[in-house]
Amino acid sequence: MELLQTIVGLTSLVVIGNILSHFLKRVPVSLIQISLGLLAALFLNVHIELDTEWFLLLFIAPLLYSDAWRFPKRELWELRGAIFGNAILLVFLTTILGGFIIYGLVPELPLPVAFAIAAILSPTDPVAVAAIAKQAKLPPSIMHLVAGESLINDASGLVGFNFAVKAASAGTFSLLAATGNFFYISLMGTLIGLVLGFLLNILGDFLSSKGATDVVLRVVLQLFSPFLLYLLAEEVHASGVIAVVVSAIVQNLHTKNDADYSGELHVVGINTWNVFGYLLNGYIFVILGIELPLATELGNVISVPMAIWYAFITWVVIFGMRVIWTYINQWVRLKNHHNETASWRVALLSGLSGVRGAVTMAGVLSVPLVTDAGMPFPQRALMLFIAAVVIIISLLAAIIFLPLLAEKPKTQVPPGEKSPQAVVAQHMSEPRARVYVLQSAVREIETRRRESNQAIAYEIILRYQMQIRQLQMRFMKMDKLSPILKAEMNLREIALDAERSALRGLLVDEKITPLVFASENRRIDRVEADLDDLITHDKTKRTWRQLKRFVISTRRSIRIWLSDDSSDRLIAEYKLARHESSKAAIAAISTYLASEDGQASKTDQTAAYNLIIMYRSRLEHQKHNGGQSEALVRMDLEVAGLNAQREATQHLYDAHFISAETGLRIRQMINFAEAGLLTDEEE
């Protein structure tokens, strides 16, 4: 029970942190999660007993597998030299040279512990810097470099880290023995990863040949694979992290060439790993915040201010080595790329983008509490404190300085020419383009509407109209939105008055009971209240009113069900009331449109069309009860609407009304809508 409570509590903090990140856009979500964990530890007295033996297995193995499985080959291949240089040579240099420098600057640390700190601080975290990069508009080459090296340097950094931790735990260190062990565990880990990766591919091919093309099963096998790979590699004293990375790359390359799975498995797998990584990354940073108060318990050996100073100079060492390494790499490239220049600005961008994150923290938290001799691990608390503070410093430095350095200098534009910004400004905004695309779908479905399918057609059109209105409410300027809302408000009042008049006529003719009359009038009152909220933009009041409406509706349904009156008769009266009130509303709107005021306003015409569609959808909905043929008709209309959206998007792009990036995002939304439609149909 305690374990379940811990998982629920951690998940709650992760979710809260991600919600807050939408309001604090310039602050990385990892920093918010650390703060929440720290607050939980200080004010709620939250404490988590960590089992360091399974920490790498639980967190690092799946995170590395996820990164490797989504390895973007083309971009990273173009930067293969810089990536492998940063991921292997720079990690090795940081571990050895950085370890000696840290050892000299922090006298309280034994040499193996200094090596361990340098090694675990060498891996970069692209997830931690992603949110900052969007605001800072980092060059794509920098982001590709960070993403590529993080995949490799996670493994190489963890291998060096494990060596140093074992040396500190054993109390002895031999460079010759360590070098031999390094090659053994690296080569053996690579071999195990290759073999098991190919075996898993063979298993997938076998299932496919037998007709077992179950994507869910394949994704479950993927989720299980990193834990199996890590455990098998560690059993033969090889590197579990290298085995996981190599196997994931092998499976990734095979999956994208698998005709039976390629598209569906890749999309489902990506989304599944996104959710899994979302939680695991969040757990690590929340746990870091919870562990911070314990890390400050440094005893009498060192004070907290001095520990913070040690953490700062450690970050300066790691940051400085990365900047100098990048600048030297630029000079080396000048031999083969004469059109390039060496820039300290690019070097600083590379240094700042090397944010430390989940892998660093998970590695430090996996350090054993005691050595092989049963003594407390030397300076474990200081080690944890330095790593945690370096992570925070690297995040803060990236937040502050990346946007400043990434700003492109303004160029002088010759007279008579337009600047690139002016050309981009001429593009239609993405929300406006999405409205146009949705309106194209509405027009297409209107052309396909027939007597036999108009109930479904009206329902789909109504859904598109709701999406259009949501976009308008979110992105349209108030001076343009106000006339639309005013016209709709006016027409809604006309329609609601007609509905009330029709209900009174039914009550006088005794076709409905007072119960149905009162209930329908309350429905109309609620619609009017929602209209008031729409005009005033009072979302809080609307939310409470919707909750109240749900409670009243539930209570009314129970009362009707328990009533002595015939439920069938009441249902028939409600249908009659809705039918006649809808007809009266359509007639009232049509009469208004025929008047001089209605014909004078184009805004009224559009609002009236949308409102009439809503009432016609209500009328047609009462005539049909569904069925297999209706499902086929619905699918045909839905696909027609999606195809119309694709054609409209292509038209906007060909006419240079939208940029390529905007077109890509709109197409992705259309593809997601189609995938959801097909999934619902299958279920």
Side-chain angles (χ1 to χ4, degrees):
M1 187 63 182
E2 184 177 350
L3 176 61
L4 292 177
Q5 291 175 340
T6 301
I7 294 174
V8 171
L10 289 176
T11 305
S12 300
L13 292 176
V14 170
V15 172
I16 293 172
N18 280 274
I19 291 174
L20 291 176
S21 70
H22 289 285
F23 301 96
L24 305 172
K25 297 184 181 296
R26 294 186 63 86
V27 181
V29 64
S30 51
L31 201 57
I32 297 174
Q33 290 165 343
I34 292 173
S35 302
L36 290 175
L38 179 60
L39 292 175
L42 293 177
F43 297 102
L44 301 179
N45 199 27
V46 175
H47 176 66
I48 298 178
E49 294 291 340
L50 296 176
D51 188 344
T52 57
E53 293 183 359
W54 53 257
F55 209 85
L56 285 176
L57 171 64
L58 179 61
F59 291 100
I60 295 301
L63 285 175
L64 290 183
Y65 186 96
S66 172
D67 290 340
W69 192 80
R70 295 181 293 182
F71 195 75
K73 299 185 296 296
R74 182 176 62 84
E75 293 86 353
L76 299 179
W77 178 254
E78 296 174 355
L79 295 168
R80 58 191 180 279
I83 287 172
F84 280 92
N86 283 19
I88 296 177
L89 298 180
L90 180 57
V91 168
F92 180 79
L93 183 65
T94 301
T95 302
I96 302 300
L97 181 58
F100 276 114
I101 295 175
I102 294 171
Y103 175 67
L105 294 175
V106 187
E108 287 82 2
L109 292 177
L111 182 60
V113 176
F115 284 147
I117 291 178
I120 203 59
L121 289 175
S122 59
T124 52
D125 188 350
V127 175
V129 80
I132 310 170
K134 291 179 181 178
Q135 298 291 332
K137 298 180 181 180
L138 288 181
S141 58
I142 296 291
M143 285 306 300
H144 291 154
L145 177 61
V146 174
E149 68 169 309
S150 68
L151 177 63
I152 310 300
N153 67 16
D154 286 347
S156 56
L158 283 168
V159 169
F161 171 75
N162 285 332
F163 269 130
V165 169
K166 289 179 180 178
S169 183
T172 58
F173 180 77
S174 170
L175 182 60
L176 180 63
T179 303
N181 287 334
F182 175 81
F183 282 108
Y184 169 78
I185 68 171
S186 300
L187 294 176
M188 185 60 67
T190 302
L191 180 62
I192 292 174
L194 287 171
V195 171
L196 292 181
F198 280 113
L199 288 177
L200 290 171
N201 288 339
I202 292 172
L203 174 61
D205 293 339
F206 173 77
L207 294 174
S208 178
S209 66
K210 298 301 180 181
T213 55
D214 187 350
V215 172
V216 175
L217 173 61
R218 292 292 295 271
V219 173
V220 170
L221 287 175
Q222 287 182 3
L223 293 175
F224 173 68
S225 296
F227 303 105
L228 175 65
L229 289 162
Y230 186 90
L231 289 173
L232 290 177
E234 291 293 326
E235 279 295 318
V236 296
H237 305 291
S239 172
V241 292
I242 292 180
V244 167
V245 169
V246 171
S247 177
I249 293 176
V250 170
Q251 293 178 70
N252 180 21
L253 296 175
H254 182 76
T255 299
K256 292 182 179 179
N257 297 322
D258 191 338
D260 292 325
Y261 290 95
S262 57
E264 186 179 5
L265 179 57
H266 190 66
V267 171
V268 175
I270 288 291
N271 291 330
T272 301
W273 280 111
N274 282 341
V275 174
F276 203 32
Y278 174 97
L279 290 173
L280 290 180
N281 273 292
Y283 289 155
I284 290 174
F285 287 112
V286 170
I287 292 174
L288 164 58
I290 294 174
E291 292 293 306
L292 270 180
L294 295 178
T296 59
E297 297 177 0
L298 302 172
N300 298 323
V301 178
I302 186 174
S303 64
V304 172
M306 182 58 70
I308 295 176
W309 169 248
Y310 285 160
F312 176 74
I313 60 176
T314 299
W315 173 78
V316 170
V317 169
I318 303 298
F319 170 76
M321 292 182 66
R322 183 178 177 87
V323 170
I324 295 172
W325 174 269
T326 304
Y327 191 76
I328 293 174
N329 270 341
Q330 294 180 79
W331 274 104
V332 172
R333 285 180 59 86
L334 290 179
K335 295 181 179 180
N336 299 321
H337 302 81
H338 299 290
N339 59 331
E340 297 184 8
T341 58
S343 168
W344 282 108
R345 175 177 167 274
V346 173
L348 289 171
L349 281 174
S350 176
L352 291 169
S353 62
V355 176
R356 273 64 192 174
V359 172
T360 295
M361 205 59 243
V364 172
L365 290 172
S366 69
V367 174
L369 299 175
V370 296
T371 63
D372 296 344
M375 301 295 292
F377 191 90
Q379 298 296 341
R380 184 181 186 275
L382 179 58
M383 185 180 183
L384 175 60
F385 185 86
I386 289 176
V389 175
V390 167
I391 291 174
I392 295 173
I393 292 175
S394 66
L395 285 168
L396 292 175
I399 293 171
I400 297 170
F401 296 109
L402 271 181
L404 299 177
L405 291 173
E407 289 180 356
K408 296 180 180 180
K410 296 182 179 180
T411 57
Q412 296 293 330
V413 181
E417 295 186 12
K418 294 182 178 180
S419 67
Q421 290 82 0
V423 175
V424 174
Q426 290 181 352
H427 283 151
M428 182 185 294
S429 67
E430 183 174 335
R432 185 181 173 190
R434 288 172 59 187
V435 168
Y436 173 84
V437 167
L438 292 171
Q439 288 172 339
S440 300
V442 170
R443 289 192 293 269
E444 176 64 25
I445 294 174
E446 270 288 5
T447 62
R448 294 171 177 264
R449 180 172 59 84
R450 303 290 185 272
E451 182 69 26
S452 58
N453 68 1
Q454 63 182 0
I456 302 171
Y458 284 140
E459 181 183 335
I460 297 173
I461 291 173
L462 183 61
R463 190 182 73 241
Y464 280 132
Q465 289 174 347
M466 292 176 62
Q467 293 175 5
I468 292 171
R469 176 48 50 85
Q470 288 174 354
L471 286 169
Q472 291 173 335
M473 292 293 295
R474 288 176 57 192
F475 299 106
M476 187 176 287
K477 293 182 179 179
M478 186 52 60
D479 59 338
K480 295 183 178 180
L481 182 62
S482 293
I484 298 176
L485 294 178
K486 184 178 179 181
E488 182 172 335
M489 186 73 173
N490 181 45
L491 286 168
R492 289 263 189 168
E493 289 292 346
I494 293 173
L496 293 176
D497 288 342
E499 285 193 64
R500 285 196 177 95
S501 178
L503 289 174
R504 284 194 295 269
L506 291 174
L507 181 64
V508 171
D509 295 339
E510 297 183 350
K511 292 182 178 180
I512 59 174
T513 61
L515 173 64
V516 175
F517 175 79
S519 177
E520 286 297 291
N521 267 292
R522 285 196 297 270
R523 176 185 62 80
I524 295 173
D525 292 339
R526 290 194 296 269
V527 172
E528 283 187 327
D530 287 342
L531 289 177
D532 292 336
D533 294 342
L534 187 66
I535 298 298
T536 59
H537 303 283
D538 193 341
K539 295 182 179 180
T540 303
K541 186 185 296 184
R542 190 186 316 166
T543 301
W544 282 109
R545 185 173 285 115
Q546 288 174 349
L547 179 61
K548 182 180 178 181
R549 181 186 306 173
F550 173 76
V551 173
I552 293 174
S553 177
T554 303
R555 186 177 63 189
R556 185 185 64 188
S557 300
I558 295 174
R559 185 181 65 193
I560 293 174
W561 184 69
L562 296 175
S563 173
D564 293 335
D565 296 332
S566 170
S567 295
D568 292 337
R569 181 173 63 81
L570 282 174
I571 292 173
E573 288 185 10
Y574 274 113
K575 287 184 177 180
L576 177 63
R578 294 289 178 92
H579 185 270
E580 294 301 320
S581 61
S582 297
K583 287 175 58 179
I586 293 174
I589 295 171
S590 301
T591 301
Y592 173 78
L593 291 178
S595 66
E596 293 183 3
D597 292 339
Q599 292 179 348
S601 173
K602 184 178 179 181
T603 304
D604 286 348
Q605 297 280 342
T606 304
Y609 169 77
N610 294 340
L611 201 53
I612 288 174
I613 289 295
M614 184 192 74
Y615 283 114
R616 284 181 176 173
S617 176
R618 183 190 298 176
L619 288 172
E620 294 297 331
H621 183 70
Q622 295 179 347
K623 299 178 182 179
H624 298 270
N625 296 319
Q628 183 64 29
S629 60
E630 182 175 324
L632 295 175
V633 171
R634 180 184 299 276
M635 179 60 69
D636 181 63
L637 290 175
E638 293 278 14
V639 171
L642 292 169
N643 289 336
Q645 292 183 60
R646 289 191 174 96
E647 292 175 2
T649 304
Q650 188 63 38
H651 166 71
L652 290 176
Y653 177 70
D654 291 340
H656 304 290
F657 289 140
I658 59 174
S659 64
E661 292 78 9
T662 299
L664 177 61
R665 285 193 292 270
I666 294 177
R667 290 187 183 96
Q668 287 175 336
M669 293 179 186
I670 297 171
N671 291 338
F672 286 142
E674 185 174 45
L677 172 67
L678 296 176
T679 302
D680 290 341
E681 179 63 23
E682 181 181 351
E683 292 179 354

